[in-house]
mmCIF file with all atom_site columns, all heavy atoms in Angstrom:
data_model
loop_
_atom_site.group_PDB
_atom_site.id
_atom_site.type_symbol
_atom_site.label_atom_id
_atom_site.label_alt_id
_atom_site.label_comp_id
_atom_site.label_asym_id
_atom_site.label_entity_id
_atom_site.label_seq_id
_atom_site.pdbx_PDB_ins_code
_atom_site.Cartn_x
_atom_site.Cartn_y
_atom_site.Cartn_z
_atom_site.occupancy
_atom_site.B_iso_or_equiv
_atom_site.pdbx_formal_charge
_atom_site.auth_seq_id
_atom_site.auth_comp_id
_atom_site.auth_asym_id
_atom_site.auth_atom_id
_atom_site.pdbx_PDB_model_num
ATOM 1   N N   . MET E 1 1  ? 0.885  -1.143 -0.023 1.00 96.00 ? 268 MET E N   1
ATOM 2   C CA  . MET E 1 1  ? 0.060  0.013  0.030  1.00 96.00 ? 268 MET E CA  1
ATOM 3   C C   . MET E 1 1  ? 0.875  1.221  0.002  1.00 96.00 ? 268 MET E C   1
ATOM 4   O O   . MET E 1 1  ? 2.050  1.248  0.513  1.00 96.00 ? 268 MET E O   1
ATOM 5   C CB  . MET E 1 1  ? -0.982 -0.034 1.255  1.00 96.00 ? 268 MET E CB  1
ATOM 6   C CG  . MET E 1 1  ? -1.870 -1.238 1.336  1.00 96.00 ? 268 MET E CG  1
ATOM 7   S SD  . MET E 1 1  ? -3.066 -1.108 2.408  1.00 96.00 ? 268 MET E SD  1
ATOM 8   C CE  . MET E 1 1  ? -4.197 -0.165 1.537  1.00 96.00 ? 268 MET E CE  1
ATOM 9   N N   . THR E 1 2  ? 0.282  2.333  -0.498 1.00 96.00 ? 269 THR E N   1
ATOM 10  C CA  . THR E 1 2  ? 1.065  3.604  -0.592 1.00 96.00 ? 269 THR E CA  1
ATOM 11  C C   . THR E 1 2  ? 0.589  4.567  0.421  1.00 96.00 ? 269 THR E C   1
ATOM 12  O O   . THR E 1 2  ? -0.544 4.854  0.479  1.00 96.00 ? 269 THR E O   1
ATOM 13  C CB  . THR E 1 2  ? 1.030  4.148  -2.063 1.00 96.00 ? 269 THR E CB  1
ATOM 14  O OG1 . THR E 1 2  ? 1.498  3.203  -2.949 1.00 96.00 ? 269 THR E OG1 1
ATOM 15  C CG2 . THR E 1 2  ? 1.718  5.395  -2.262 1.00 96.00 ? 269 THR E CG2 1
ATOM 16  N N   . VAL E 1 3  ? 1.570  5.217  1.109  1.00 96.00 ? 270 VAL E N   1
ATOM 17  C CA  . VAL E 1 3  ? 1.195  6.314  2.061  1.00 96.00 ? 270 VAL E CA  1
ATOM 18  C C   . VAL E 1 3  ? 0.860  7.491  1.228  1.00 96.00 ? 270 VAL E C   1
ATOM 19  O O   . VAL E 1 3  ? 1.711  7.996  0.453  1.00 96.00 ? 270 VAL E O   1
ATOM 20  C CB  . VAL E 1 3  ? 2.316  6.583  3.032  1.00 96.00 ? 270 VAL E CB  1
ATOM 21  C CG1 . VAL E 1 3  ? 1.936  7.654  3.993  1.00 96.00 ? 270 VAL E CG1 1
ATOM 22  C CG2 . VAL E 1 3  ? 2.685  5.325  3.758  1.00 96.00 ? 270 VAL E CG2 1
ATOM 23  N N   . ILE E 1 4  ? -0.359 7.988  1.385  1.00 96.00 ? 271 ILE E N   1
ATOM 24  C CA  . ILE E 1 4  ? -0.717 9.340  0.746  1.00 96.00 ? 271 ILE E CA  1
ATOM 25  C C   . ILE E 1 4  ? -0.849 10.554 1.774  1.00 96.00 ? 271 ILE E C   1
ATOM 26  O O   . ILE E 1 4  ? -0.939 11.695 1.293  1.00 96.00 ? 271 ILE E O   1
ATOM 27  C CB  . ILE E 1 4  ? -1.940 9.161  -0.033 1.00 96.00 ? 271 ILE E CB  1
ATOM 28  C CG1 . ILE E 1 4  ? -3.262 8.755  0.775  1.00 96.00 ? 271 ILE E CG1 1
ATOM 29  C CG2 . ILE E 1 4  ? -1.755 8.101  -1.248 1.00 96.00 ? 271 ILE E CG2 1
ATOM 30  C CD1 . ILE E 1 4  ? -4.620 8.699  0.037  1.00 96.00 ? 271 ILE E CD1 1
ATOM 31  N N   . LEU E 1 5  ? -0.884 10.247 3.016  1.00 96.00 ? 272 LEU E N   1
ATOM 32  C CA  . LEU E 1 5  ? -0.918 11.282 4.043  1.00 96.00 ? 272 LEU E CA  1
ATOM 33  C C   . LEU E 1 5  ? -0.270 10.801 5.285  1.00 96.00 ? 272 LEU E C   1
ATOM 34  O O   . LEU E 1 5  ? -0.574 9.661  5.819  1.00 96.00 ? 272 LEU E O   1
ATOM 35  C CB  . LEU E 1 5  ? -2.307 11.803 4.313  1.00 96.00 ? 272 LEU E CB  1
ATOM 36  C CG  . LEU E 1 5  ? -2.318 12.843 5.437  1.00 96.00 ? 272 LEU E CG  1
ATOM 37  C CD1 . LEU E 1 5  ? -1.630 14.106 4.933  1.00 96.00 ? 272 LEU E CD1 1
ATOM 38  C CD2 . LEU E 1 5  ? -3.730 13.080 5.742  1.00 96.00 ? 272 LEU E CD2 1
ATOM 39  N N   . ASN E 1 6  ? 0.699  11.519 5.827  1.00 96.00 ? 273 ASN E N   1
ATOM 40  C CA  . ASN E 1 6  ? 1.183  11.128 7.227  1.00 96.00 ? 273 ASN E CA  1
ATOM 41  C C   . ASN E 1 6  ? 1.189  12.499 7.987  1.00 96.00 ? 273 ASN E C   1
ATOM 42  O O   . ASN E 1 6  ? 1.971  13.590 7.582  1.00 96.00 ? 273 ASN E O   1
ATOM 43  C CB  . ASN E 1 6  ? 2.615  10.680 7.101  1.00 96.00 ? 273 ASN E CB  1
ATOM 44  C CG  . ASN E 1 6  ? 3.299  10.515 8.479  1.00 96.00 ? 273 ASN E CG  1
ATOM 45  O OD1 . ASN E 1 6  ? 2.856  10.954 9.388  1.00 96.00 ? 273 ASN E OD1 1
ATOM 46  N ND2 . ASN E 1 6  ? 4.276  9.587  8.367  1.00 96.00 ? 273 ASN E ND2 1
ATOM 47  N N   . THR E 1 7  ? 0.310  12.746 8.852  1.00 96.00 ? 274 THR E N   1
ATOM 48  C CA  . THR E 1 7  ? 0.178  14.016 9.552  1.00 96.00 ? 274 THR E CA  1
ATOM 49  C C   . THR E 1 7  ? 1.453  14.536 10.245 1.00 96.00 ? 274 THR E C   1
ATOM 50  O O   . THR E 1 7  ? 1.687  15.676 10.388 1.00 96.00 ? 274 THR E O   1
ATOM 51  C CB  . THR E 1 7  ? -1.093 14.046 10.483 1.00 96.00 ? 274 THR E CB  1
ATOM 52  O OG1 . THR E 1 7  ? -0.874 13.011 11.454 1.00 96.00 ? 274 THR E OG1 1
ATOM 53  C CG2 . THR E 1 7  ? -2.329 13.882 9.719  1.00 96.00 ? 274 THR E CG2 1
ATOM 54  N N   . ALA E 1 8  ? 2.172  13.557 10.726 1.00 93.00 ? 275 ALA E N   1
ATOM 55  C CA  . ALA E 1 8  ? 3.394  13.897 11.506 1.00 93.00 ? 275 ALA E CA  1
ATOM 56  C C   . ALA E 1 8  ? 4.352  14.614 10.493 1.00 93.00 ? 275 ALA E C   1
ATOM 57  O O   . ALA E 1 8  ? 5.214  15.507 10.817 1.00 93.00 ? 275 ALA E O   1
ATOM 58  C CB  . ALA E 1 8  ? 4.081  12.672 12.074 1.00 93.00 ? 275 ALA E CB  1
ATOM 59  N N   . GLU E 1 9  ? 4.455  13.988 9.240  1.00 94.00 ? 276 GLU E N   1
ATOM 60  C CA  . GLU E 1 9  ? 5.335  14.558 8.282  1.00 94.00 ? 276 GLU E CA  1
ATOM 61  C C   . GLU E 1 9  ? 4.828  15.913 7.743  1.00 94.00 ? 276 GLU E C   1
ATOM 62  O O   . GLU E 1 9  ? 5.697  16.904 7.740  1.00 94.00 ? 276 GLU E O   1
ATOM 63  C CB  . GLU E 1 9  ? 5.425  13.628 6.947  1.00 94.00 ? 276 GLU E CB  1
ATOM 64  C CG  . GLU E 1 9  ? 6.326  14.148 5.880  1.00 94.00 ? 276 GLU E CG  1
ATOM 65  C CD  . GLU E 1 9  ? 6.408  13.107 4.699  1.00 94.00 ? 276 GLU E CD  1
ATOM 66  O OE1 . GLU E 1 9  ? 5.538  12.134 4.688  1.00 94.00 ? 276 GLU E OE1 1
ATOM 67  O OE2 . GLU E 1 9  ? 7.173  13.469 3.817  1.00 94.00 ? 276 GLU E OE2 1
ATOM 68  N N   . VAL E 1 10 ? 3.568  16.095 7.549  1.00 93.00 ? 277 VAL E N   1
ATOM 69  C CA  . VAL E 1 10 ? 3.043  17.456 7.125  1.00 93.00 ? 277 VAL E CA  1
ATOM 70  C C   . VAL E 1 10 ? 3.369  18.461 8.219  1.00 93.00 ? 277 VAL E C   1
ATOM 71  O O   . VAL E 1 10 ? 3.696  19.605 7.881  1.00 93.00 ? 277 VAL E O   1
ATOM 72  C CB  . VAL E 1 10 ? 1.511  17.244 6.859  1.00 93.00 ? 277 VAL E CB  1
ATOM 73  C CG1 . VAL E 1 10 ? 0.933  18.709 6.635  1.00 93.00 ? 277 VAL E CG1 1
ATOM 74  C CG2 . VAL E 1 10 ? 1.224  16.400 5.799  1.00 93.00 ? 277 VAL E CG2 1
ATOM 75  N N   . ALA E 1 11 ? 3.184  18.141 9.415  1.00 92.00 ? 278 ALA E N   1
ATOM 76  C CA  . ALA E 1 11 ? 3.462  19.133 10.566 1.00 92.00 ? 278 ALA E CA  1
ATOM 77  C C   . ALA E 1 11 ? 4.955  19.444 10.751 1.00 92.00 ? 278 ALA E C   1
ATOM 78  O O   . ALA E 1 11 ? 5.167  20.483 11.285 1.00 92.00 ? 278 ALA E O   1
ATOM 79  C CB  . ALA E 1 11 ? 2.916  18.560 11.779 1.00 92.00 ? 278 ALA E CB  1
ATOM 80  N N   . ASN E 1 12 ? 5.871  18.699 10.122 1.00 89.00 ? 279 ASN E N   1
ATOM 81  C CA  . ASN E 1 12 ? 7.214  18.914 10.385 1.00 89.00 ? 279 ASN E CA  1
ATOM 82  C C   . ASN E 1 12 ? 8.059  19.009 9.151  1.00 89.00 ? 279 ASN E C   1
ATOM 83  O O   . ASN E 1 12 ? 9.298  18.801 9.206  1.00 89.00 ? 279 ASN E O   1
ATOM 84  C CB  . ASN E 1 12 ? 7.734  17.725 11.287 1.00 89.00 ? 279 ASN E CB  1
ATOM 85  C CG  . ASN E 1 12 ? 7.194  17.755 12.601 1.00 89.00 ? 279 ASN E CG  1
ATOM 86  O OD1 . ASN E 1 12 ? 7.464  18.662 13.443 1.00 89.00 ? 279 ASN E OD1 1
ATOM 87  N ND2 . ASN E 1 12 ? 6.467  16.700 12.909 1.00 89.00 ? 279 ASN E ND2 1
ATOM 88  N N   . LEU E 1 13 ? 7.434  19.377 8.078  1.00 88.00 ? 280 LEU E N   1
ATOM 89  C CA  . LEU E 1 13 ? 8.213  19.627 6.866  1.00 88.00 ? 280 LEU E CA  1
ATOM 90  C C   . LEU E 1 13 ? 9.174  20.736 7.047  1.00 88.00 ? 280 LEU E C   1
ATOM 91  O O   . LEU E 1 13 ? 8.823  21.742 7.730  1.00 88.00 ? 280 LEU E O   1
ATOM 92  C CB  . LEU E 1 13 ? 7.292  19.995 5.677  1.00 88.00 ? 280 LEU E CB  1
ATOM 93  C CG  . LEU E 1 13 ? 6.364  18.748 5.108  1.00 88.00 ? 280 LEU E CG  1
ATOM 94  C CD1 . LEU E 1 13 ? 5.469  19.365 4.038  1.00 88.00 ? 280 LEU E CD1 1
ATOM 95  C CD2 . LEU E 1 13 ? 7.168  17.705 4.568  1.00 88.00 ? 280 LEU E CD2 1
ATOM 96  N N   . PRO E 1 14 ? 10.392 20.784 6.361  1.00 89.00 ? 281 PRO E N   1
ATOM 97  C CA  . PRO E 1 14 ? 10.933 19.578 5.607  1.00 89.00 ? 281 PRO E CA  1
ATOM 98  C C   . PRO E 1 14 ? 11.810 18.773 6.459  1.00 89.00 ? 281 PRO E C   1
ATOM 99  O O   . PRO E 1 14 ? 12.580 17.840 6.072  1.00 89.00 ? 281 PRO E O   1
ATOM 100 C CB  . PRO E 1 14 ? 11.764 20.343 4.581  1.00 89.00 ? 281 PRO E CB  1
ATOM 101 C CG  . PRO E 1 14 ? 12.310 21.492 5.296  1.00 89.00 ? 281 PRO E CG  1
ATOM 102 C CD  . PRO E 1 14 ? 11.107 21.988 6.220  1.00 89.00 ? 281 PRO E CD  1
ATOM 103 N N   . SER E 1 15 ? 11.767 18.874 7.776  1.00 92.00 ? 282 SER E N   1
ATOM 104 C CA  . SER E 1 15 ? 12.723 18.255 8.542  1.00 92.00 ? 282 SER E CA  1
ATOM 105 C C   . SER E 1 15 ? 12.257 16.834 9.124  1.00 92.00 ? 282 SER E C   1
ATOM 106 O O   . SER E 1 15 ? 12.916 16.267 9.953  1.00 92.00 ? 282 SER E O   1
ATOM 107 C CB  . SER E 1 15 ? 13.042 19.035 9.911  1.00 92.00 ? 282 SER E CB  1
ATOM 108 O OG  . SER E 1 15 ? 11.968 19.332 10.600 1.00 92.00 ? 282 SER E OG  1
ATOM 109 N N   . TYR E 1 16 ? 11.063 16.256 8.617  1.00 91.00 ? 283 TYR E N   1
ATOM 110 C CA  . TYR E 1 16 ? 10.679 15.080 9.144  1.00 91.00 ? 283 TYR E CA  1
ATOM 111 C C   . TYR E 1 16 ? 11.576 13.915 8.736  1.00 91.00 ? 283 TYR E C   1
ATOM 112 O O   . TYR E 1 16 ? 12.072 13.762 7.626  1.00 91.00 ? 283 TYR E O   1
ATOM 113 C CB  . TYR E 1 16 ? 9.191  14.789 8.489  1.00 91.00 ? 283 TYR E CB  1
ATOM 114 C CG  . TYR E 1 16 ? 8.661  13.416 8.919  1.00 91.00 ? 283 TYR E CG  1
ATOM 115 C CD1 . TYR E 1 16 ? 8.079  13.457 10.198 1.00 91.00 ? 283 TYR E CD1 1
ATOM 116 C CD2 . TYR E 1 16 ? 8.635  12.336 8.107  1.00 91.00 ? 283 TYR E CD2 1
ATOM 117 C CE1 . TYR E 1 16 ? 7.549  12.167 10.667 1.00 91.00 ? 283 TYR E CE1 1
ATOM 118 C CE2 . TYR E 1 16 ? 8.083  11.106 8.567  1.00 91.00 ? 283 TYR E CE2 1
ATOM 119 C CZ  . TYR E 1 16 ? 7.502  11.050 9.767  1.00 91.00 ? 283 TYR E CZ  1
ATOM 120 O OH  . TYR E 1 16 ? 6.979  9.916  10.322 1.00 91.00 ? 283 TYR E OH  1
ATOM 121 N N   . THR E 1 17 ? 11.889 13.014 9.695  1.00 91.00 ? 284 THR E N   1
ATOM 122 C CA  . THR E 1 17 ? 12.796 11.940 9.470  1.00 91.00 ? 284 THR E CA  1
ATOM 123 C C   . THR E 1 17 ? 12.230 10.591 10.003 1.00 91.00 ? 284 THR E C   1
ATOM 124 O O   . THR E 1 17 ? 12.928 9.588  10.057 1.00 91.00 ? 284 THR E O   1
ATOM 125 C CB  . THR E 1 17 ? 14.188 12.106 10.272 1.00 91.00 ? 284 THR E CB  1
ATOM 126 O OG1 . THR E 1 17 ? 13.910 12.405 11.591 1.00 91.00 ? 284 THR E OG1 1
ATOM 127 C CG2 . THR E 1 17 ? 14.918 13.390 9.659  1.00 91.00 ? 284 THR E CG2 1
ATOM 128 N N   . GLY E 1 18 ? 10.966 10.660 10.376 1.00 90.00 ? 285 GLY E N   1
ATOM 129 C CA  . GLY E 1 18 ? 10.360 9.405  10.829 1.00 90.00 ? 285 GLY E CA  1
ATOM 130 C C   . GLY E 1 18 ? 9.910  8.367  9.758  1.00 90.00 ? 285 GLY E C   1
ATOM 131 O O   . GLY E 1 18 ? 10.174 8.620  8.577  1.00 90.00 ? 285 GLY E O   1
ATOM 132 N N   . PRO E 1 19 ? 9.164  7.366  10.268 1.00 93.00 ? 286 PRO E N   1
ATOM 133 C CA  . PRO E 1 19 ? 8.761  6.341  9.292  1.00 93.00 ? 286 PRO E CA  1
ATOM 134 C C   . PRO E 1 19 ? 7.602  6.760  8.415  1.00 93.00 ? 286 PRO E C   1
ATOM 135 O O   . PRO E 1 19 ? 6.885  7.746  8.710  1.00 93.00 ? 286 PRO E O   1
ATOM 136 C CB  . PRO E 1 19 ? 8.323  5.166  10.180 1.00 93.00 ? 286 PRO E CB  1
ATOM 137 C CG  . PRO E 1 19 ? 7.827  5.810  11.420 1.00 93.00 ? 286 PRO E CG  1
ATOM 138 C CD  . PRO E 1 19 ? 8.763  7.043  11.574 1.00 93.00 ? 286 PRO E CD  1
ATOM 139 N N   . HIS E 1 20 ? 7.323  5.989  7.293  1.00 94.00 ? 287 HIS E N   1
ATOM 140 C CA  . HIS E 1 20 ? 6.132  6.123  6.488  1.00 94.00 ? 287 HIS E CA  1
ATOM 141 C C   . HIS E 1 20 ? 6.044  7.532  5.877  1.00 94.00 ? 287 HIS E C   1
ATOM 142 O O   . HIS E 1 20 ? 4.981  8.160  5.947  1.00 94.00 ? 287 HIS E O   1
ATOM 143 C CB  . HIS E 1 20 ? 4.809  5.835  7.473  1.00 94.00 ? 287 HIS E CB  1
ATOM 144 C CG  . HIS E 1 20 ? 4.917  4.560  8.053  1.00 94.00 ? 287 HIS E CG  1
ATOM 145 N ND1 . HIS E 1 20 ? 5.245  3.297  7.446  1.00 94.00 ? 287 HIS E ND1 1
ATOM 146 C CD2 . HIS E 1 20 ? 4.827  4.190  9.399  1.00 94.00 ? 287 HIS E CD2 1
ATOM 147 C CE1 . HIS E 1 20 ? 5.267  2.341  8.299  1.00 94.00 ? 287 HIS E CE1 1
ATOM 148 N NE2 . HIS E 1 20 ? 5.044  2.873  9.542  1.00 94.00 ? 287 HIS E NE2 1
ATOM 149 N N   . LYS E 1 21 ? 7.035  7.970  5.189  1.00 94.00 ? 288 LYS E N   1
ATOM 150 C CA  . LYS E 1 21 ? 6.927  9.161  4.426  1.00 94.00 ? 288 LYS E CA  1
ATOM 151 C C   . LYS E 1 21 ? 5.976  9.108  3.193  1.00 94.00 ? 288 LYS E C   1
ATOM 152 O O   . LYS E 1 21 ? 5.660  8.055  2.812  1.00 94.00 ? 288 LYS E O   1
ATOM 153 C CB  . LYS E 1 21 ? 8.238  9.679  3.937  1.00 94.00 ? 288 LYS E CB  1
ATOM 154 C CG  . LYS E 1 21 ? 9.296  9.994  4.990  1.00 94.00 ? 288 LYS E CG  1
ATOM 155 C CD  . LYS E 1 21 ? 10.527 10.525 4.454  1.00 94.00 ? 288 LYS E CD  1
ATOM 156 C CE  . LYS E 1 21 ? 11.451 11.017 5.510  1.00 94.00 ? 288 LYS E CE  1
ATOM 157 N NZ  . LYS E 1 21 ? 12.631 11.662 5.001  1.00 94.00 ? 288 LYS E NZ  1
ATOM 158 N N   . VAL E 1 22 ? 5.359  10.259 2.937  1.00 95.00 ? 289 VAL E N   1
ATOM 159 C CA  . VAL E 1 22 ? 4.307  10.177 1.807  1.00 95.00 ? 289 VAL E CA  1
ATOM 160 C C   . VAL E 1 22 ? 4.967  9.590  0.601  1.00 95.00 ? 289 VAL E C   1
ATOM 161 O O   . VAL E 1 22 ? 6.180  10.112 0.214  1.00 95.00 ? 289 VAL E O   1
ATOM 162 C CB  . VAL E 1 22 ? 3.818  11.611 1.534  1.00 95.00 ? 289 VAL E CB  1
ATOM 163 C CG1 . VAL E 1 22 ? 2.983  11.718 0.267  1.00 95.00 ? 289 VAL E CG1 1
ATOM 164 C CG2 . VAL E 1 22 ? 2.940  12.031 2.770  1.00 95.00 ? 289 VAL E CG2 1
ATOM 165 N N   . GLY E 1 23 ? 4.290  8.688  -0.071 1.00 95.00 ? 290 GLY E N   1
ATOM 166 C CA  . GLY E 1 23 ? 4.950  8.022  -1.307 1.00 95.00 ? 290 GLY E CA  1
ATOM 167 C C   . GLY E 1 23 ? 5.530  6.723  -1.032 1.00 95.00 ? 290 GLY E C   1
ATOM 168 O O   . GLY E 1 23 ? 5.815  6.030  -1.974 1.00 95.00 ? 290 GLY E O   1
ATOM 169 N N   . SER E 1 24 ? 5.897  6.503  0.265  1.00 95.00 ? 291 SER E N   1
ATOM 170 C CA  . SER E 1 24 ? 6.595  5.269  0.558  1.00 95.00 ? 291 SER E CA  1
ATOM 171 C C   . SER E 1 24 ? 5.527  3.972  0.531  1.00 95.00 ? 291 SER E C   1
ATOM 172 O O   . SER E 1 24 ? 4.308  4.285  0.542  1.00 95.00 ? 291 SER E O   1
ATOM 173 C CB  . SER E 1 24 ? 7.204  5.351  1.947  1.00 95.00 ? 291 SER E CB  1
ATOM 174 O OG  . SER E 1 24 ? 6.186  5.404  2.999  1.00 95.00 ? 291 SER E OG  1
ATOM 175 N N   . LYS E 1 25 ? 6.037  2.914  0.482  1.00 95.00 ? 292 LYS E N   1
ATOM 176 C CA  . LYS E 1 25 ? 5.211  1.701  0.410  1.00 95.00 ? 292 LYS E CA  1
ATOM 177 C C   . LYS E 1 25 ? 5.158  0.999  1.749  1.00 95.00 ? 292 LYS E C   1
ATOM 178 O O   . LYS E 1 25 ? 6.306  0.899  2.321  1.00 95.00 ? 292 LYS E O   1
ATOM 179 C CB  . LYS E 1 25 ? 5.684  0.657  -0.668 1.00 95.00 ? 292 LYS E CB  1
ATOM 180 C CG  . LYS E 1 25 ? 5.903  1.407  -2.045 1.00 95.00 ? 292 LYS E CG  1
ATOM 181 C CD  . LYS E 1 25 ? 4.611  1.631  -2.620 1.00 95.00 ? 292 LYS E CD  1
ATOM 182 C CE  . LYS E 1 25 ? 4.879  2.126  -4.141 1.00 95.00 ? 292 LYS E CE  1
ATOM 183 N NZ  . LYS E 1 25 ? 3.591  2.644  -4.657 1.00 95.00 ? 292 LYS E NZ  1
#
Side-chain angles (χ1 to χ4, degrees):
M268 301 193 80
T269 303
V270 178
I271 59 173
L272 177 67
N273 178 340
T274 57
E276 181 179 5
V277 172
N279 294 298
L280 286 176
S282 62
Y283 182 75
T284 59
H287 310 303
K288 290 185 176 184
V289 171
S291 66
K292 305 288 184 193

